[in-house]
Amino acid sequence: MSVVSDLMQRARSTASLDDFGDDSFRDGLERLVVSVEREARLNERGRIGFEMQIVDLLVNRLQVEHWYRRHPEIDEQQIVAPLIGLGLPRTGSTALSCLLAEDPAVRSIRNWEAMKPCPPPETASELSDPRIAVAHRMVLKRQEMFPRKMAMLPSSATMPTECQTYMAYDFRSHLFQALWQVPSYADWLNHHADLVSTYRYVKRVLKLLQWRCPPYRWRLKNPSHIVFIDALQEVFPDARYWMTHRDIGKVIPSVADLYHELIRASSDDVDKTYLGALNSEWCERGMRKVIAFRDAGHEHRFFDVQFAAFQEDPFPILARLYDFLGEEFTPLARSRMAAWRRDTPRDRHGEHHYDAADFGLDVTRLRERFGFYSERFAVAI
C-alpha cells in the first residue's frame, strides 16, 4: 500500500466514513507526500506530526462530505460579495482582520472552526461550543512548546484565522510550504497548480459554516491569495478586497523567520537560505500578479491600508473602509473594535529579532527588487 493510500485509509478508519467527494485533492496530496519524503528532512517528531496533520485534514474533508450528503440543501447557501484581505504577510493584516471580526453584523472563520468545522456550528451554541475549549487548550500547549512562535503569530481559540486549512482539504495551500521544507511541492503550487477546485472547496466549507450560523457577510483574509488571484476571481467573482502595505525590507525577512520557527519544530536541518529565497519569490510573483489583476479593470474593488497609519490610529481607516463597502460603521461595531484594540498588545511585529543575512537576504537589494511594489503603493521605508 502506498503512503497516500495508507493515510487515506487511516482517515477512513478514524472518521468511520469513506467518501472524500471529488478526487481533485489527490494530485496535491501525492505531490506533497513525495516532496516530504525526498526533501523535508523530518526528525522523528516531524514524521509523526506530518502523518497526524494529513490524516486530520482528510478526516475533516470526509466529515464535510458526510454533512453534504445528509443535507444537500447546504449547497443552496450563497456566499455574496465577501470582503477578502490579501496584502503581504507581516503587514498588520492579522490585526485588521481581528478588528473587522468584532463587528457583530459580519462573519469570519474562527480558529476553532478552522480546526474542526464539523459538526457545522449553530447560533444557539456558537459561544459555548465544546470545540472552543479544545482549541483553547491546544493554543496554550503551543504557547508552552513554542513561545517565540506565539509571540510572532499570536493566536486564540476564537480569533479570526485564514482559510489556509480549508485550502489544505484540496492539498493546495501555503500551509504546507510554511510547515515543511518541500521545494518541489512549493514550485508546483506557486507556478503550475490550478486552484479553482481549491477555492470551490473553500466556498463549500463556508456554506456549511453559515448554514446554521449566520450572519452571511464574510470577512476573510489570506496573504497567499495574491499568487492565485485569477482562480480566486473565478470562484468569488463579486469579492471586494483590502490590502495592507509595509516596507518590504521588514516583510520578507520576518516571513522567512516565521517559516523557520514553524519548520524547525519538525526538522533538525533547516535551510534558512532556501526560506529567504522561497518567500522572496512567492511574494514578488504574487504582488506582480495582483497588480496586473488590478490593472485589468479591477482597481475599483480594492481598498489600500498603510501599515504605519493603521498602527497609529486604525479608526479613520476603518471608517473609510466602511464607506468603500457602502455599509454602516455602527456605534456597536466601533465600540467593540475599540475594546479589542485597548485589550490587545500592539507592535507585535517588533517583538522578535532576526537577521536578514541569516536567510541570504540583503535588505537594500530586496527594496530594489520590490521597487515596482513600493512605488505603486507609496510604501514608506
Side-chain angles (χ1 to χ4, degrees):
M1 180 181 292
S2 71
V3 173
V4 169
S5 297
D6 177 62
L7 292 170
M8 292 176 64
Q9 185 54 47
R10 285 168 59 180
R12 291 188 186 98
S13 298
T14 300
S16 298
L17 299 168
D18 61 7
D19 183 4
F20 290 99
D22 187 278
D23 65 357
S24 63
F25 72 95
R26 287 293 299 261
D27 188 17
L29 176 56
E30 290 168 358
R31 290 176 184 273
L32 176 63
V33 166
V34 169
S35 188
V36 165
E37 289 181 331
R38 294 178 179 175
E39 302 162 338
R41 302 194 289 274
L42 298 181
N43 54 32
E44 184 61 25
R45 182 173 68 176
R47 284 190 290 272
I48 294 171
F50 170 74
E51 292 180 1
M52 290 177 60
Q53 179 90 4
I54 299 308
V55 170
D56 187 60
L57 291 169
L58 289 168
V59 166
N60 283 345
R61 182 176 175 117
L62 284 166
Q63 292 175 343
V64 168
E65 293 305 309
H66 175 66
W67 276 90
Y68 266 88
R69 284 197 310 279
R70 290 176 59 195
H71 298 279
E73 69 273 16
I74 297 171
D75 205 30
E76 298 172 6
Q77 293 286 310
Q78 298 294 314
I79 308 297
V80 179
L83 177 66
I84 304 176
L86 38 71
L88 291 171
R90 316 303 288 165
T91 58
S93 57
T94 297
L96 178 51
S97 68
C98 286
L99 285 169
L100 292 173
E102 288 299 311
D103 186 341
V106 306
R107 188 73 159 84
S108 62
I109 301 170
R110 296 163 289 197
N111 260 324
W112 63 272
E113 293 173 310
M115 294 178 187
K116 190 65 66 175
C118 296
E122 298 183 68
T123 299
S125 59
E126 65 173 324
L127 300 181
S128 59
D129 193 293
R131 284 169 290 186
I132 298 174
V134 174
H136 179 66
R137 290 193 295 271
M138 187 175 296
V139 169
L140 291 178
K141 184 176 181 180
R142 289 174 179 171
Q143 287 176 341
E144 294 174 0
M145 294 177 63
F146 311 109
R148 185 170 180 268
K149 182 180 75 175
M150 296 305 292
M152 297 163 65
L153 195 66
S155 182
S156 74
T158 56
M159 72 180 285
T161 190
E162 299 171 4
C163 62
Q164 293 283 12
T165 303
Y166 299 157
M167 295 175 72
Y169 294 174
D170 197 48
F171 291 91
R172 292 165 170 83
S173 173
H174 275 187
L175 174 69
F176 304 122
Q177 71 177 34
L179 290 176
W180 305 296
Q181 294 173 115
V182 284
S184 61
Y185 171 84
D187 179 73
W188 168 75
L189 176 67
N190 292 310
H191 294 87
H192 309 291
D194 182 350
L195 269 73
V196 171
S197 65
T198 307
Y199 288 123
R200 285 176 178 158
Y201 211 86
V202 170
K203 179 179 277 190
R204 190 166 176 81
V205 181
L206 296 181
K207 288 181 177 182
L208 182 72
L209 294 180
Q210 76 174 34
W211 173 47
R212 304 189 303 190
C213 193
Y216 308 113
R217 286 160 47 193
W218 282 94
R219 301 291 190 253
L220 306 171
K221 188 267 288 189
N222 189 339
S224 66
H225 289 330
I226 60 176
V227 183
F228 316 113
I229 188 68
D230 294 327
L232 186 68
Q233 162 67 14
E234 182 167 336
V235 179
F236 296 98
D238 58 353
R240 291 168 293 183
Y241 304 103
W242 54 262
M243 290 180 66
T244 44
H245 303 288
R246 191 185 186 193
D247 172 21
I248 204 72
K250 295 183 173 69
V251 169
I252 301 297
S254 182
V255 182
D257 189 43
L258 175 59
Y259 271 42
H260 174 255
E261 200 65 20
L262 294 169
I263 291 171
R264 76 188 187 99
S266 61
S267 174
D268 303 320
D269 184 11
V270 183
D271 185 345
K272 287 188 173 183
T273 301
Y274 160 70
L275 298 182
L278 170 66
N279 283 288
S280 300
E281 196 281 330
W282 83 257
C283 286
E284 179 184 3
R285 179 176 176 81
M287 193 52 63
R288 290 190 182 278
K289 291 188 73 171
V290 82
I291 287 174
F293 178 78
R294 291 175 67 145
D295 288 345
H298 301 286
E299 183 71 19
H300 64 286
R301 298 166 62 188
F302 284 79
F303 182 89
D304 295 296
V305 178
Q306 295 293 333
F307 177 83
F310 175 77
Q311 288 287 91
E312 182 178 352
D313 184 359
F315 289 97
I317 294 169
L318 288 163
R320 292 196 300 272
L321 175 56
Y322 273 78
D323 285 342
F324 164 79
L325 295 171
E327 297 176 3
E328 181 185 3
F329 191 16
T330 66
L332 176 58
R334 182 184 289 270
S335 65
R336 287 173 56 119
M337 292 177 189
W340 182 91
R341 189 168 190 260
R342 182 187 64 243
D343 298 338
T344 305
R346 266 163 259 158
D347 300 324
R348 287 167 165 176
H349 293 305
E351 291 179 354
H352 68 283
H353 303 281
Y354 52 83
D355 186 345
D358 288 346
F359 299 95
L361 299 172
D362 180 284
V363 171
T364 299
R365 291 181 179 176
L366 266 180
R367 288 173 176 149
E368 293 173 352
R369 178 176 177 177
F370 282 82
F372 72 96
Y373 161 70
S374 57
E375 293 170 10
R376 169 65 179 261
F377 298 107
V379 180
I381 295 176

